[in-house]
Amino acid sequence: MTKARRGESEFWRHRPVFVTGATGLLGSWLTEALLARGASVVALVRDLGPKSRLRQSGMESRVTVVRGAVEDGMVLERAINEYEIRTVFHLAAQTIVPIANRNPLSTFESNIRGAWNLLEACRRAPAVQQIVGASSDKAYGEQETLPYSESQPLQGRLPYDVSKSCADLIAQSYHRTFGTPVCVTRCGNFFGGGDLNFNRLVPGAIRSALHAEAPVIRSDGSLVRDYIYVRDGAEACLLLAEKMSADPAILGEAFNFSTEERSTVLQMTERILRLMGQGNLRPVVLNEARHEISKQYLSAAKARARLGWAPRYPLDAALTETIAWYREHFGRT
């Protein structure tokens, strides 16, 4: 389990916290970090996946589970009020880009309707003091200037990107109009133990390497992305909520969180193979990906300056921890 540093638990001890998307990759690691700090966690769970990290780790028995989906505003309002929630982490979303391209309506329902339902429920709940909403680097859409900074417009054009742009703007609207105490995180591609969506690059490449099979790359391998370890992502969410309590001037703002170490898809795949001692495997490049932006990466200068944030895990160390998780998961040495 994640251990909190000395002094980190004071803010969170016995604090009623609501986490949407708790069975997801970021949600499970954030829940673990909150439990380590003594928070009282209420988790919104749509599907009780038997292989989810929340269940497999035993954390599910340590939190209050509310069954429901973010598309149901009444469920959100009941949970937030009934458990007198003070801090909300809104992480629930449909996060897979190819699924969004195939089925945009369910993505819009989850990512856009879910955002306004959550914010409206919080607006009507007087105990809520901080809301951290998870946006994405995808919210920026395609830009001529890189790396993305928070001053750039949100201009998603593809279904997933549009859903994140909209949810991000809705959060800003609620703060501007109603004073809702919300901030937004914008991160790149999360990776880490517990991600069982093997169509994603990192878990897919690791699984292939563990079985001595060539990893498959959907694109031509040249797409440039910003990768962030999920444990750094969880720490970023916690830090932002704490700073929101200490400095109300940051309410309503968005913050990029990034290691600022970008990689192409092919470079990331080859890095994983090297760390796993499988450098002899050559990735299979399908060049089938369509409707994806060629280059996306973030500047974290604002988070460093305003929040004092820095990632704790170098990329190789983070990947090594991640590989170890999958070795154990698959029973491989």
Side-chain angles (χ1 to χ4, degrees), residues 104-138:
L105 294 186
S106 66
T107 300
F108 294 155
E109 285 286 333
S110 174
N111 297 5
I112 303 176
R113 182 187 294 275
W116 82 55
N117 279 343
L118 186 283
L119 287 160
E120 182 64 12
C122 289
R123 183 178 75 87
R124 293 154 60 92
V128 172
Q129 297 173 348
Q130 300 92 26
I131 308 157
V132 175
S135 185
S136 167
D137 58 351
K138 308 296 186 292

PDB file of all heavy atoms in Angstrom, residues 104-138:
ATOM      1  N   PRO A 104     -19.466   7.521 -30.208  1.00  0.00           N
ATOM      2  CA  PRO A 104     -19.331   8.837 -29.572  1.00  0.00           C
ATOM      3  C   PRO A 104     -20.446   9.161 -28.582  1.00  0.00           C
ATOM      4  O   PRO A 104     -20.206   9.871 -27.599  1.00  0.00           O
ATOM      5  CB  PRO A 104     -19.340   9.811 -30.755  1.00  0.00           C
ATOM      6  CG  PRO A 104     -20.032   9.070 -31.858  1.00  0.00           C
ATOM      7  CD  PRO A 104     -19.661   7.634 -31.669  1.00  0.00           C
ATOM      8  N   LEU A 105     -21.659   8.653 -28.806  1.00  0.00           N
ATOM      9  CA  LEU A 105     -22.769   9.065 -27.943  1.00  0.00           C
ATOM     10  C   LEU A 105     -22.569   8.619 -26.504  1.00  0.00           C
ATOM     11  O   LEU A 105     -22.804   9.383 -25.559  1.00  0.00           O
ATOM     12  CB  LEU A 105     -24.090   8.534 -28.495  1.00  0.00           C
ATOM     13  CG  LEU A 105     -24.536   9.119 -29.844  1.00  0.00           C
ATOM     14  CD1 LEU A 105     -25.928   8.620 -30.195  1.00  0.00           C
ATOM     15  CD2 LEU A 105     -24.505  10.641 -29.827  1.00  0.00           C
ATOM     16  N   SER A 106     -22.116   7.384 -26.289  1.00  0.00           N
ATOM     17  CA  SER A 106     -21.896   6.930 -24.914  1.00  0.00           C
ATOM     18  C   SER A 106     -20.752   7.704 -24.268  1.00  0.00           C
ATOM     19  O   SER A 106     -20.766   7.965 -23.057  1.00  0.00           O
ATOM     20  CB  SER A 106     -21.600   5.426 -24.882  1.00  0.00           C
ATOM     21  OG  SER A 106     -20.376   5.135 -25.515  1.00  0.00           O
ATOM     22  N   THR A 107     -19.772   8.086 -25.072  1.00  0.00           N
ATOM     23  CA  THR A 107     -18.669   8.895 -24.554  1.00  0.00           C
ATOM     24  C   THR A 107     -19.154  10.277 -24.146  1.00  0.00           C
ATOM     25  O   THR A 107     -18.793  10.788 -23.072  1.00  0.00           O
ATOM     26  CB  THR A 107     -17.557   9.014 -25.607  1.00  0.00           C
ATOM     27  OG1 THR A 107     -17.079   7.702 -25.928  1.00  0.00           O
ATOM     28  CG2 THR A 107     -16.404   9.867 -25.103  1.00  0.00           C
ATOM     29  N   PHE A 108     -19.996  10.899 -24.974  1.00  0.00           N
ATOM     30  CA  PHE A 108     -20.543  12.213 -24.626  1.00  0.00           C
ATOM     31  C   PHE A 108     -21.425  12.120 -23.378  1.00  0.00           C
ATOM     32  O   PHE A 108     -21.393  13.007 -22.510  1.00  0.00           O
ATOM     33  CB  PHE A 108     -21.349  12.781 -25.792  1.00  0.00           C
ATOM     34  CG  PHE A 108     -20.528  13.102 -27.018  1.00  0.00           C
ATOM     35  CD1 PHE A 108     -21.120  13.131 -28.270  1.00  0.00           C
ATOM     36  CD2 PHE A 108     -19.175  13.359 -26.930  1.00  0.00           C
ATOM     37  CE1 PHE A 108     -20.388  13.422 -29.408  1.00  0.00           C
ATOM     38  CE2 PHE A 108     -18.422  13.643 -28.066  1.00  0.00           C
ATOM     39  CZ  PHE A 108     -19.024  13.680 -29.305  1.00  0.00           C
ATOM     40  N   GLU A 109     -22.211  11.065 -23.277  1.00  0.00           N
ATOM     41  CA  GLU A 109     -23.072  10.894 -22.101  1.00  0.00           C
ATOM     42  C   GLU A 109     -22.239  10.812 -20.824  1.00  0.00           C
ATOM     43  O   GLU A 109     -22.528  11.462 -19.833  1.00  0.00           O
ATOM     44  CB  GLU A 109     -23.933   9.635 -22.253  1.00  0.00           C
ATOM     45  CG  GLU A 109     -25.090   9.772 -23.214  1.00  0.00           C
ATOM     46  CD  GLU A 109     -26.227  10.602 -22.642  1.00  0.00           C
ATOM     47  OE1 GLU A 109     -26.373  10.650 -21.404  1.00  0.00           O
ATOM     48  OE2 GLU A 109     -26.973  11.206 -23.438  1.00  0.00           O
ATOM     49  N   SER A 110     -21.225   9.970 -20.851  1.00  0.00           N
ATOM     50  CA  SER A 110     -20.406   9.770 -19.666  1.00  0.00           C
ATOM     51  C   SER A 110     -19.556  10.992 -19.354  1.00  0.00           C
ATOM     52  O   SER A 110     -19.524  11.476 -18.217  1.00  0.00           O
ATOM     53  CB  SER A 110     -19.509   8.548 -19.870  1.00  0.00           C
ATOM     54  OG  SER A 110     -18.609   8.400 -18.802  1.00  0.00           O
ATOM     55  N   ASN A 111     -18.878  11.509 -20.354  1.00  0.00           N
ATOM     56  CA  ASN A 111     -17.864  12.529 -20.108  1.00  0.00           C
ATOM     57  C   ASN A 111     -18.422  13.941 -20.001  1.00  0.00           C
ATOM     58  O   ASN A 111     -17.863  14.770 -19.267  1.00  0.00           O
ATOM     59  CB  ASN A 111     -16.806  12.475 -21.203  1.00  0.00           C
ATOM     60  CG  ASN A 111     -16.054  11.155 -21.223  1.00  0.00           C
ATOM     61  OD1 ASN A 111     -16.378  10.244 -20.485  1.00  0.00           O
ATOM     62  ND2 ASN A 111     -15.064  11.047 -22.083  1.00  0.00           N
ATOM     63  N   ILE A 112     -19.509  14.224 -20.716  1.00  0.00           N
ATOM     64  CA  ILE A 112     -20.067  15.590 -20.686  1.00  0.00           C
ATOM     65  C   ILE A 112     -21.256  15.656 -19.726  1.00  0.00           C
ATOM     66  O   ILE A 112     -21.260  16.459 -18.785  1.00  0.00           O
ATOM     67  CB  ILE A 112     -20.461  16.054 -22.099  1.00  0.00           C
ATOM     68  CG1 ILE A 112     -19.254  15.988 -23.049  1.00  0.00           C
ATOM     69  CG2 ILE A 112     -21.005  17.485 -22.038  1.00  0.00           C
ATOM     70  CD1 ILE A 112     -19.572  16.332 -24.490  1.00  0.00           C
ATOM     71  N   ARG A 113     -22.263  14.812 -19.944  1.00  0.00           N
ATOM     72  CA  ARG A 113     -23.388  14.803 -19.004  1.00  0.00           C
ATOM     73  C   ARG A 113     -22.901  14.464 -17.591  1.00  0.00           C
ATOM     74  O   ARG A 113     -23.356  15.055 -16.611  1.00  0.00           O
ATOM     75  CB  ARG A 113     -24.455  13.802 -19.442  1.00  0.00           C
ATOM     76  CG  ARG A 113     -25.677  13.783 -18.504  1.00  0.00           C
ATOM     77  CD  ARG A 113     -26.643  12.668 -18.864  1.00  0.00           C
ATOM     78  NE  ARG A 113     -27.250  12.887 -20.169  1.00  0.00           N
ATOM     79  CZ  ARG A 113     -28.334  13.648 -20.373  1.00  0.00           C
ATOM     80  NH1 ARG A 113     -28.914  14.252 -19.345  1.00  0.00           N
ATOM     81  NH2 ARG A 113     -28.832  13.785 -21.585  1.00  0.00           N
ATOM     82  N   GLY A 114     -21.979  13.527 -17.494  1.00  0.00           N
ATOM     83  CA  GLY A 114     -21.443  13.178 -16.185  1.00  0.00           C
ATOM     84  C   GLY A 114     -20.812  14.363 -15.485  1.00  0.00           C
ATOM     85  O   GLY A 114     -20.946  14.526 -14.264  1.00  0.00           O
ATOM     86  N   ALA A 115     -20.126  15.219 -16.244  1.00  0.00           N
ATOM     87  CA  ALA A 115     -19.472  16.387 -15.649  1.00  0.00           C
ATOM     88  C   ALA A 115     -20.499  17.381 -15.117  1.00  0.00           C
ATOM     89  O   ALA A 115     -20.373  17.870 -13.990  1.00  0.00           O
ATOM     90  CB  ALA A 115     -18.571  17.057 -16.680  1.00  0.00           C
ATOM     91  N   TRP A 116     -21.542  17.671 -15.917  1.00  0.00           N
ATOM     92  CA  TRP A 116     -22.490  18.676 -15.399  1.00  0.00           C
ATOM     93  C   TRP A 116     -23.350  18.099 -14.275  1.00  0.00           C
ATOM     94  O   TRP A 116     -23.718  18.828 -13.349  1.00  0.00           O
ATOM     95  CB  TRP A 116     -23.291  19.326 -16.515  1.00  0.00           C
ATOM     96  CG  TRP A 116     -24.489  18.625 -17.068  1.00  0.00           C
ATOM     97  CD1 TRP A 116     -25.580  18.152 -16.399  1.00  0.00           C
ATOM     98  CD2 TRP A 116     -24.753  18.358 -18.459  1.00  0.00           C
ATOM     99  NE1 TRP A 116     -26.495  17.605 -17.264  1.00  0.00           N
ATOM    100  CE2 TRP A 116     -26.027  17.730 -18.534  1.00  0.00           C
ATOM    101  CE3 TRP A 116     -24.063  18.607 -19.639  1.00  0.00           C
ATOM    102  CZ2 TRP A 116     -26.593  17.331 -19.748  1.00  0.00           C
ATOM    103  CZ3 TRP A 116     -24.627  18.218 -20.835  1.00  0.00           C
ATOM    104  CH2 TRP A 116     -25.870  17.589 -20.887  1.00  0.00           C
ATOM    105  N   ASN A 117     -23.643  16.801 -14.334  1.00  0.00           N
ATOM    106  CA  ASN A 117     -24.380  16.202 -13.217  1.00  0.00           C
ATOM    107  C   ASN A 117     -23.589  16.315 -11.915  1.00  0.00           C
ATOM    108  O   ASN A 117     -24.143  16.653 -10.857  1.00  0.00           O
ATOM    109  CB  ASN A 117     -24.653  14.725 -13.507  1.00  0.00           C
ATOM    110  CG  ASN A 117     -25.838  14.505 -14.423  1.00  0.00           C
ATOM    111  OD1 ASN A 117     -26.668  15.402 -14.622  1.00  0.00           O
ATOM    112  ND2 ASN A 117     -25.945  13.313 -14.972  1.00  0.00           N
ATOM    113  N   LEU A 118     -22.306  16.006 -11.983  1.00  0.00           N
ATOM    114  CA  LEU A 118     -21.460  16.050 -10.785  1.00  0.00           C
ATOM    115  C   LEU A 118     -21.363  17.472 -10.254  1.00  0.00           C
ATOM    116  O   LEU A 118     -21.518  17.727  -9.055  1.00  0.00           O
ATOM    117  CB  LEU A 118     -20.090  15.479 -11.137  1.00  0.00           C
ATOM    118  CG  LEU A 118     -19.011  15.261 -10.069  1.00  0.00           C
ATOM    119  CD1 LEU A 118     -18.326  16.546  -9.664  1.00  0.00           C
ATOM    120  CD2 LEU A 118     -19.579  14.560  -8.848  1.00  0.00           C
ATOM    121  N   LEU A 119     -21.125  18.417 -11.133  1.00  0.00           N
ATOM    122  CA  LEU A 119     -20.973  19.815 -10.703  1.00  0.00           C
ATOM    123  C   LEU A 119     -22.283  20.380 -10.155  1.00  0.00           C
ATOM    124  O   LEU A 119     -22.279  21.128  -9.172  1.00  0.00           O
ATOM    125  CB  LEU A 119     -20.471  20.654 -11.877  1.00  0.00           C
ATOM    126  CG  LEU A 119     -19.004  20.413 -12.234  1.00  0.00           C
ATOM    127  CD1 LEU A 119     -18.713  20.885 -13.651  1.00  0.00           C
ATOM    128  CD2 LEU A 119     -18.081  21.101 -11.240  1.00  0.00           C
ATOM    129  N   GLU A 120     -23.388  20.009 -10.764  1.00  0.00           N
ATOM    130  CA  GLU A 120     -24.672  20.489 -10.267  1.00  0.00           C
ATOM    131  C   GLU A 120     -24.970  19.892  -8.897  1.00  0.00           C
ATOM    132  O   GLU A 120     -25.470  20.594  -7.996  1.00  0.00           O
ATOM    133  CB  GLU A 120     -25.781  20.138 -11.262  1.00  0.00           C
ATOM    134  CG  GLU A 120     -27.172  20.625 -10.867  1.00  0.00           C
ATOM    135  CD  GLU A 120     -27.305  22.139 -10.798  1.00  0.00           C
ATOM    136  OE1 GLU A 120     -26.397  22.873 -11.266  1.00  0.00           O
ATOM    137  OE2 GLU A 120     -28.334  22.606 -10.258  1.00  0.00           O
ATOM    138  N   ALA A 121     -24.659  18.616  -8.707  1.00  0.00           N
ATOM    139  CA  ALA A 121     -24.863  17.996  -7.396  1.00  0.00           C
ATOM    140  C   ALA A 121     -24.005  18.687  -6.345  1.00  0.00           C
ATOM    141  O   ALA A 121     -24.461  18.924  -5.214  1.00  0.00           O
ATOM    142  CB  ALA A 121     -24.532  16.512  -7.470  1.00  0.00           C
ATOM    143  N   CYS A 122     -22.774  19.030  -6.696  1.00  0.00           N
ATOM    144  CA  CYS A 122     -21.888  19.719  -5.756  1.00  0.00           C
ATOM    145  C   CYS A 122     -22.377  21.136  -5.472  1.00  0.00           C
ATOM    146  O   CYS A 122     -22.284  21.623  -4.331  1.00  0.00           O
ATOM    147  CB  CYS A 122     -20.467  19.754  -6.306  1.00  0.00           C
ATOM    148  SG  CYS A 122     -19.631  18.157  -6.323  1.00  0.00           S
ATOM    149  N   ARG A 123     -22.890  21.803  -6.500  1.00  0.00           N
ATOM    150  CA  ARG A 123     -23.395  23.167  -6.299  1.00  0.00           C
ATOM    151  C   ARG A 123     -24.523  23.189  -5.271  1.00  0.00           C
ATOM    152  O   ARG A 123     -24.679  24.153  -4.516  1.00  0.00           O
ATOM    153  CB  ARG A 123     -23.893  23.731  -7.627  1.00  0.00           C
ATOM    154  CG  ARG A 123     -24.367  25.182  -7.556  1.00  0.00           C
ATOM    155  CD  ARG A 123     -24.791  25.688  -8.918  1.00  0.00           C
ATOM    156  NE  ARG A 123     -26.074  25.153  -9.335  1.00  0.00           N
ATOM    157  CZ  ARG A 123     -27.253  25.703  -9.025  1.00  0.00           C
ATOM    158  NH1 ARG A 123     -27.309  26.787  -8.263  1.00  0.00           N
ATOM    159  NH2 ARG A 123     -28.372  25.166  -9.480  1.00  0.00           N
ATOM    160  N   ARG A 124     -25.281  22.104  -5.206  1.00  0.00           N
ATOM    161  CA  ARG A 124     -26.428  22.028  -4.312  1.00  0.00           C
ATOM    162  C   ARG A 124     -26.082  21.370  -2.973  1.00  0.00           C
ATOM    163  O   ARG A 124     -26.968  21.115  -2.164  1.00  0.00           O
ATOM    164  CB  ARG A 124     -27.543  21.244  -5.002  1.00  0.00           C
ATOM    165  CG  ARG A 124     -28.109  21.977  -6.223  1.00  0.00           C
ATOM    166  CD  ARG A 124     -28.716  21.014  -7.235  1.00  0.00           C
ATOM    167  NE  ARG A 124     -29.812  20.237  -6.703  1.00  0.00           N
ATOM    168  CZ  ARG A 124     -31.104  20.583  -6.764  1.00  0.00           C
ATOM    169  NH1 ARG A 124     -31.451  21.740  -7.350  1.00  0.00           N
ATOM    170  NH2 ARG A 124     -32.052  19.805  -6.276  1.00  0.00           N
ATOM    171  N   ALA A 125     -24.786  21.130  -2.749  1.00  0.00           N
ATOM    172  CA  ALA A 125     -24.342  20.476  -1.516  1.00  0.00           C
ATOM    173  C   ALA A 125     -23.435  21.443  -0.749  1.00  0.00           C
ATOM    174  O   ALA A 125     -22.271  21.626  -1.118  1.00  0.00           O
ATOM    175  CB  ALA A 125     -23.598  19.189  -1.836  1.00  0.00           C
ATOM    176  N   PRO A 126     -23.913  22.053   0.312  1.00  0.00           N
ATOM    177  CA  PRO A 126     -23.148  23.101   0.994  1.00  0.00           C
ATOM    178  C   PRO A 126     -21.872  22.624   1.670  1.00  0.00           C
ATOM    179  O   PRO A 126     -20.980  23.435   1.937  1.00  0.00           O
ATOM    180  CB  PRO A 126     -24.140  23.637   2.033  1.00  0.00           C
ATOM    181  CG  PRO A 126     -25.150  22.547   2.223  1.00  0.00           C
ATOM    182  CD  PRO A 126     -25.250  21.865   0.900  1.00  0.00           C
ATOM    183  N   ALA A 127     -21.733  21.327   1.939  1.00  0.00           N
ATOM    184  CA  ALA A 127     -20.537  20.855   2.636  1.00  0.00           C
ATOM    185  C   ALA A 127     -19.318  20.735   1.718  1.00  0.00           C
ATOM    186  O   ALA A 127     -18.183  20.703   2.203  1.00  0.00           O
ATOM    187  CB  ALA A 127     -20.813  19.491   3.284  1.00  0.00           C
ATOM    188  N   VAL A 128     -19.522  20.675   0.404  1.00  0.00           N
ATOM    189  CA  VAL A 128     -18.408  20.459  -0.524  1.00  0.00           C
ATOM    190  C   VAL A 128     -17.503  21.688  -0.550  1.00  0.00           C
ATOM    191  O   VAL A 128     -17.949  22.808  -0.784  1.00  0.00           O
ATOM    192  CB  VAL A 128     -18.926  20.146  -1.938  1.00  0.00           C
ATOM    193  CG1 VAL A 128     -17.772  20.123  -2.945  1.00  0.00           C
ATOM    194  CG2 VAL A 128     -19.651  18.806  -1.946  1.00  0.00           C
ATOM    195  N   GLN A 129     -16.205  21.440  -0.328  1.00  0.00           N
ATOM    196  CA  GLN A 129     -15.222  22.522  -0.275  1.00  0.00           C
ATOM    197  C   GLN A 129     -14.240  22.504  -1.434  1.00  0.00           C
ATOM    198  O   GLN A 129     -13.689  23.554  -1.791  1.00  0.00           O
ATOM    199  CB  GLN A 129     -14.441  22.435   1.048  1.00  0.00           C
ATOM    200  CG  GLN A 129     -15.312  22.617   2.273  1.00  0.00           C
ATOM    201  CD  GLN A 129     -14.554  22.357   3.554  1.00  0.00           C
ATOM    202  OE1 GLN A 129     -13.437  21.840   3.546  1.00  0.00           O
ATOM    203  NE2 GLN A 129     -15.153  22.707   4.685  1.00  0.00           N
ATOM    204  N   GLN A 130     -13.960  21.335  -1.981  1.00  0.00           N
ATOM    205  CA  GLN A 130     -13.037  21.226  -3.125  1.00  0.00           C
ATOM    206  C   GLN A 130     -13.569  20.182  -4.098  1.00  0.00           C
ATOM    207  O   GLN A 130     -14.039  19.123  -3.683  1.00  0.00           O
ATOM    208  CB  GLN A 130     -11.615  20.788  -2.702  1.00  0.00           C
ATOM    209  CG  GLN A 130     -10.896  21.690  -1.743  1.00  0.00           C
ATOM    210  CD  GLN A 130     -11.149  21.273  -0.302  1.00  0.00           C
ATOM    211  OE1 GLN A 130     -11.430  20.113  -0.017  1.00  0.00           O
ATOM    212  NE2 GLN A 130     -11.056  22.225   0.616  1.00  0.00           N
ATOM    213  N   ILE A 131     -13.474  20.505  -5.376  1.00  0.00           N
ATOM    214  CA  ILE A 131     -13.782  19.550  -6.445  1.00  0.00           C
ATOM    215  C   ILE A 131     -12.590  19.550  -7.394  1.00  0.00           C
ATOM    216  O   ILE A 131     -12.209  20.611  -7.917  1.00  0.00           O
ATOM    217  CB  ILE A 131     -15.038  19.949  -7.237  1.00  0.00           C
ATOM    218  CG1 ILE A 131     -16.218  20.214  -6.305  1.00  0.00           C
ATOM    219  CG2 ILE A 131     -15.384  18.887  -8.280  1.00  0.00           C
ATOM    220  CD1 ILE A 131     -17.278  21.103  -6.913  1.00  0.00           C
ATOM    221  N   VAL A 132     -12.001  18.398  -7.588  1.00  0.00           N
ATOM    222  CA  VAL A 132     -10.925  18.250  -8.565  1.00  0.00           C
ATOM    223  C   VAL A 132     -11.468  17.430  -9.719  1.00  0.00           C
ATOM    224  O   VAL A 132     -11.856  16.275  -9.546  1.00  0.00           O
ATOM    225  CB  VAL A 132      -9.692  17.556  -7.940  1.00  0.00           C
ATOM    226  CG1 VAL A 132      -8.629  17.307  -9.012  1.00  0.00           C
ATOM    227  CG2 VAL A 132      -9.114  18.406  -6.809  1.00  0.00           C
ATOM    228  N   GLY A 133     -11.518  18.040 -10.895  1.00  0.00           N
ATOM    229  CA  GLY A 133     -12.011  17.360 -12.085  1.00  0.00           C
ATOM    230  C   GLY A 133     -10.853  16.954 -12.976  1.00  0.00           C
ATOM    231  O   GLY A 133      -9.923  17.743 -13.198  1.00  0.00           O
ATOM    232  N   ALA A 134     -10.895  15.732 -13.484  1.00  0.00           N
ATOM    233  CA  ALA A 134      -9.824  15.226 -14.338  1.00  0.00           C
ATOM    234  C   ALA A 134     -10.155  15.510 -15.796  1.00  0.00           C
ATOM    235  O   ALA A 134     -11.049  14.885 -16.365  1.00  0.00           O
ATOM    236  CB  ALA A 134      -9.627  13.731 -14.117  1.00  0.00           C
ATOM    237  N   SER A 135      -9.445  16.446 -16.372  1.00  0.00           N
ATOM    238  CA  SER A 135      -9.533  16.683 -17.806  1.00  0.00           C
ATOM    239  C   SER A 135      -8.405  15.894 -18.463  1.00  0.00           C
ATOM    240  O   SER A 135      -8.058  14.808 -18.009  1.00  0.00           O
ATOM    241  CB  SER A 135      -9.459  18.180 -18.103  1.00  0.00           C
ATOM    242  OG  SER A 135      -9.663  18.425 -19.481  1.00  0.00           O
ATOM    243  N   SER A 136      -7.785  16.412 -19.500  1.00  0.00           N
ATOM    244  CA  SER A 136      -6.793  15.647 -20.249  1.00  0.00           C
ATOM    245  C   SER A 136      -6.031  16.583 -21.177  1.00  0.00           C
ATOM    246  O   SER A 136      -6.527  17.665 -21.534  1.00  0.00           O
ATOM    247  CB  SER A 136      -7.506  14.569 -21.073  1.00  0.00           C
ATOM    248  OG  SER A 136      -6.655  13.999 -22.030  1.00  0.00           O
ATOM    249  N   ASP A 137      -4.840  16.149 -21.594  1.00  0.00           N
ATOM    250  CA  ASP A 137      -4.151  16.904 -22.640  1.00  0.00           C
ATOM    251  C   ASP A 137      -4.963  16.910 -23.924  1.00  0.00           C
ATOM    252  O   ASP A 137      -4.840  17.826 -24.748  1.00  0.00           O
ATOM    253  CB  ASP A 137      -2.753  16.349 -22.883  1.00  0.00           C
ATOM    254  CG  ASP A 137      -2.721  14.878 -23.283  1.00  0.00           C
ATOM    255  OD1 ASP A 137      -3.776  14.198 -23.227  1.00  0.00           O
ATOM    256  OD2 ASP A 137      -1.632  14.397 -23.658  1.00  0.00           O
ATOM    257  N   LYS A 138      -5.852  15.908 -24.085  1.00  0.00           N
ATOM    258  CA  LYS A 138      -6.670  15.838 -25.301  1.00  0.00           C
ATOM    259  C   LYS A 138      -7.633  17.023 -25.412  1.00  0.00           C
ATOM    260  O   LYS A 138      -8.120  17.330 -26.504  1.00  0.00           O
ATOM    261  CB  LYS A 138      -7.465  14.535 -25.334  1.00  0.00           C
ATOM    262  CG  LYS A 138      -6.634  13.269 -25.136  1.00  0.00           C
ATOM    263  CD  LYS A 138      -5.654  13.055 -26.248  1.00  0.00           C
ATOM    264  CE  LYS A 138      -4.932  11.713 -26.115  1.00  0.00           C
ATOM    265  NZ  LYS A 138      -4.030  11.646 -24.953  1.00  0.00           N
TER     266      LYS A 138
END
